Amino acid sequence: MIVIAQVSDIHVDGEQRSADRTRAVMRYLEELPYDLAAVLVTGDIADHGTADEYALARELLNSRHPLLVCPGNHDDRAAFRKVRLPEGAADRPYAPVNQLLRGEGFAVALCDSSVPGKDEGFLEDETLEWLDAVLGSTPHEVPVLVAFHHPPVPLHTPYVDGIRQFGEERLAALAGRHPHLTAFLAGHAHTAAATTFAGRPLLVAPGVVSALRLPWENPGPDSPHVHLDLPPAVAFHVLAEDGRLTTHYRTVTV
């Protein structure tokens, strides 16, 4: 059994609240009696994209499990690279931050859907070419999970649907060439959600720093878009031996 945890939208801002919530989630994962195959953190690591925020995030995102982190729309690629990926910071500071983890019986391709200077998401040609090569070099019997920050479909959450991932038809065409692409994982929406994209599951991790009010929960146009009092949460993606994927969501006490 392969278990992959997904954490998203920690929005480290130098304040105690975001740090405490992130620390609680990471402590929960560290204290599990099971070794996870990976922990994915799918974007919006820093709230303002500053070096100080990334330095704090580096302390908070410390794990005994294999850890992969990608940027979101609140992140700055150059600052992210300088703190988290110093070996790739100097030559191409604003290049997409794409990362691959090959484990025993699975692979995770973490794609950078952020667009420097914009809130909406888009996978650059370089990222799609990289992903195509990853999938092409992975044996067809090995399931591949593809993760990024921005969901490539609307989720009925108007506050973030307007800044979702666009150009998604290119990703759908790529998926059509690779049947072992098992599922897509995303963050950004600050709500646990499950839908489909390109004939695959699209699984959205809940937010750590806050939870989004869905349209039918919002009492009025002047109400805040987010819940600040709900607990942070984490997604667990479980790959069975036959390749079937199941996702569980758990809240965490701060």
Side-chain angles (χ1 to χ4, degrees):
M1 182 174 62
I2 297 166
V3 182
I4 297 170
Q6 185 187 0
V7 176
S8 201
D9 297 270
I10 64 175
H11 286 265
V12 172
D13 57 5
E15 300 297 326
Q16 195 66 38
R17 181 180 180 279
S18 60
D20 285 348
R21 290 169 75 91
T22 303
R23 190 175 288 111
V25 168
M26 296 307 295
R27 181 172 59 245
Y28 166 68
L29 297 178
E30 288 301 288
E31 292 176 352
L32 290 172
Y34 189 87
D35 291 333
L36 300 173
V39 175
L40 311 180
V41 188
T42 48
D44 280 358
I45 309 307
D47 198 45
H48 306 96
T50 68
D52 287 345
E53 289 173 343
Y54 288 120
L56 177 56
R58 181 174 57 188
E59 295 178 15
L60 295 169
L61 298 176
N62 186 27
S63 180
R64 66 183 174 89
H65 312 290
L67 181 75
L68 290 179
V69 184
C70 75
N73 60 293
H74 277 254
D75 291 304
D76 177 88
R77 282 183 183 175
F80 179 97
R81 281 184 171 276
K82 187 173 182 179
V83 175
R84 293 211 63 88
L85 303 168
E87 68 279 2
D91 295 338
R92 302 179 63 210
Y94 285 99
V97 182
N98 300 316
Q99 300 160 82
L100 172 65
L101 174 66
R102 292 194 188 276
E104 186 174 349
F106 76 99
V108 176
L110 195 57
C111 302
D112 188 350
S113 65
S114 70
V115 180
K118 296 185 178 181
D119 285 329
E120 65 266 25
F122 185 81
L123 296 181
E124 297 179 19
D125 289 345
E126 176 181 339
T127 296
L128 287 176
E129 291 168 4
W130 172 82
L131 179 58
D132 197 25
V134 166
L135 290 162
S137 63
T138 303
H140 284 183
E141 66 272 16
V142 175
V144 181
L145 303 180
V146 175
F148 31 61
H149 180 63
H150 298 78
V153 296
L155 297 173
H156 302 289
T157 54
Y159 186 58
V160 293
D161 281 351
I163 52 173
R164 65 176 179 86
Q165 182 185 145
F166 294 96
E168 67 277 9
E169 67 282 351
R170 298 150 58 249
L171 177 61
L174 184 153
R177 300 194 297 271
H178 299 287
H180 56 312
L181 196 169
T182 301
F184 297 98
L185 313 177
H188 190 44
H190 290 236
T191 182
T195 184
T196 58
F197 171 72
R200 280 32 170 229
L202 170 61
L203 305 163
V204 182
V208 168
V209 75
S210 64
L212 185 71
R213 289 185 192 274
L214 297 168
W216 49 91
E217 296 177 311
N218 202 324
D222 297 327
S223 301
H225 291 289
V226 297
H227 289 288
L228 295 176
D229 53 346
L230 295 181
V234 60
F236 289 107
H237 307 294
V238 183
L239 275 168
E241 291 184 1
D242 60 2
R244 184 172 55 86
L245 180 67
T246 304
T247 296
H248 302 269
Y249 296 98
R250 286 288 185 267
T251 57
V252 177
T253 301
V254 178

